[in-house]
Amino acid sequence: MALPKGMRVLAIITACIFLYLVVLVFQAPSEEMQMPSRAPPKKYQEWDHDPQLDPSGEPPEPLRRVEGDNYAPDNPHSDRINATILSLVRNEELNDLLQSMNDLERTWNHKFNYPWTFFNDKPFTAEFKRKTRAATKAEVRYELVPAAHWDVPSWINEDLFQESVSLLVEQKVQYMEKRSYHQMCRWNSGMFSEHPALKDTQYYWRVEPNVQFFCSVDYDVFRWMADHNKTYGFNINIYDNPESVATLWPETQKFVADHPEYVHPNNAAEWLEDSHKRPENNKIAHGYSTCHFWSNFEIGDLAFWRSKAYRDYFDHLDRAGGFFYERWGDAPVHSVALGLFEDKSKIHWFRDIGYQHIPFFNCPNSPKCSGCVTGRFTDGEKWLNREDCRPLWFKYVGMD
């Protein structure tokens, strides 16, 4: 029996709706396809000092470790390479140095027994030698800084130096009035690598008095540097006082204009020039972000400091006088040179080495660490967190 016309129309409409829904179902993307694409991994430009964001972990393989007596202090065929731990230290800093020695020996060097080399512009006392020898099983060396490496250069005008001291002390530039501090910065910037005691040494780990190490490190960091063709290893990366380096960048630009061949094509110039974090710096430091590796911790290849590019750069800065007329530190000088003249892929952040030099920390999230708070950056006021320049390093270079 034929359906009434109205029912036939309703049936046709229902069928059409059904077919439309079927088509929609088959055309719709799957649930997996509807998921939003995953965001790329953070490069830590969003760093906010959340412990969960504070990365940890050892560098990539290979990691040279202790196997039997291969790093024994008296093994003439040891796996140690041509490297030393070094420190510029005064006799009166003995107790603070012993603190640093005990920490590094406990966390690392008692396994590898690399020699310690101490430098002083005065002869070391018998007490200093006795107590430092007792703090390690490794060889200990005591070296005098030559007067020619330490004395104020002849081209520095004493009257201008005193005027500069008065001016920058008023601007609260720390240590500006201490002549020995200027001498130390100059020595650490360009003279230490020329010391005769290091002429046959390739790698060094700089350790200062009154620093702390928090994490057990069970691989040979020097051999890791060599195996991975690294030039420099840092731990803390911060901003400098712009008044202390006001003309460092202009002098660097003059040097680069004369020697463009020294600038590495894979450099970190953007890290040195970024004005986003502290734009007020650029008004004073003439375009330099003041980001620098805090060189109280540095593990490096001396070949870089002995290269023609660096020797020419240091000589240019030395003649400009900023180690005395301003307070150019070895940290910004080393950092600017590395950022411009070295392949940035050869600079490594030792995230796994827990470290403190007051007031800043590097405290990894690792069971191998104790005595510091994971993710903590400063031992002082919270505003000091703004001094952390690692976000810019991660932004332009990455995490290595």
Side-chain angles (χ1 to χ4, degrees), residues 49-61:
H49 302 283
D50 183 333
Q52 298 305 312
L53 296 181
D54 200 354
S56 60
E58 294 173 343
E61 297 284 350

Side-chain angles (χ1 to χ4, degrees), residues 152-153 155-157 160-161 164-165 168 173 175-176 179 181-183 185-186 189 240-252 254 313-330 332-333:
V152 177
W155 56 85
I156 297 300
N157 182 291
L160 181 56
F161 172 59
S164 301
V165 168
L168 294 185
V173 173
Y175 308 127
M176 184 66 197
R179 185 183 298 263
Y181 193 87
H182 295 266
Q183 293 170 294
C185 289
R186 178 177 179 264
S189 292
D240 206 350
N241 180 342
E243 286 90 347
S244 69
V245 289
T247 64
L248 176 59
W249 195 244
E251 286 298 335
T252 299
K254 290 180 191 175
Y313 177 61
F314 172 76
D315 289 344
H316 175 92
L317 296 183
D318 203 20
R319 286 286 175 176
F323 291 109
F324 293 90
Y325 301 143
E326 293 179 13
R327 201 217 61 194
W328 295 350
D330 51 277
V333 169

